[in-house]
Amino acid sequence: MADLSTEDQKLVTLARATRARTNAAEGAAVRDLDGRTYAGATVALPSLGVSALDVCVAMAIASGSRGLEAAVVLTSASDAPSLAAASEFAGTGVPVHVGDVRGAIEKTLAT
């Protein structure tokens, strides 16, 4: 996490703790334009499936956020996470740090 800012390292900690607490496939955390953070985990029910990042985006929108500064997604999946909702909400250029479930960041994407 040496390449991440202190604020982005906090997002890693939040995403890792949320994923571990729920034993979900993914954990995510976002920071909005006001500095507020939202953490979430994958929802995988027979009647509802939502990615961890989409949970965070929905929480930010429901809380009145105007956009995002950064996001972290921790996952065991080899596929890149979908950034569609984050891009629609926050626009282009928002960094999305993607790492494994232990919190080791492997790449940074952008909305």
Side-chain angles (χ1 to χ4, degrees):
M1 288 195 303
D3 294 52
L4 297 181
S5 70
T6 302
E7 293 301 312
D8 288 353
Q9 289 177 17
K10 290 177 187 176
L11 293 179
V12 172
T13 299
L14 288 169
R16 187 176 57 224
T18 301
R19 194 211 64 79
R21 185 173 52 254
T22 62
N23 199 30
E26 293 180 342
V30 300
R31 184 177 57 254
D32 74 9
L33 297 176
D34 294 324
R36 295 177 294 188
T37 57
Y38 307 90
T42 305
V43 176
L45 299 172
S47 61
L48 177 66
V50 185
S51 75
L53 182 57
D54 288 352
V55 168
C56 292
V57 169
M59 291 170 61
I61 292 168
S63 296
S65 176
R66 297 172 289 113
L68 301 178
E69 285 183 356
V72 167
V73 178
L74 302 181
T75 181
S76 58
S78 59
D79 297 340
S82 172
L83 305 181
S87 296
E88 184 176 341
F89 174 56
T92 60
V94 175
V96 180
H97 307 292
V98 180
D100 65 23
V101 295
R102 296 176 321 239
I105 299 302
E106 299 166 348
K107 59 187 166 189
T108 298
L109 308 173
T111 58

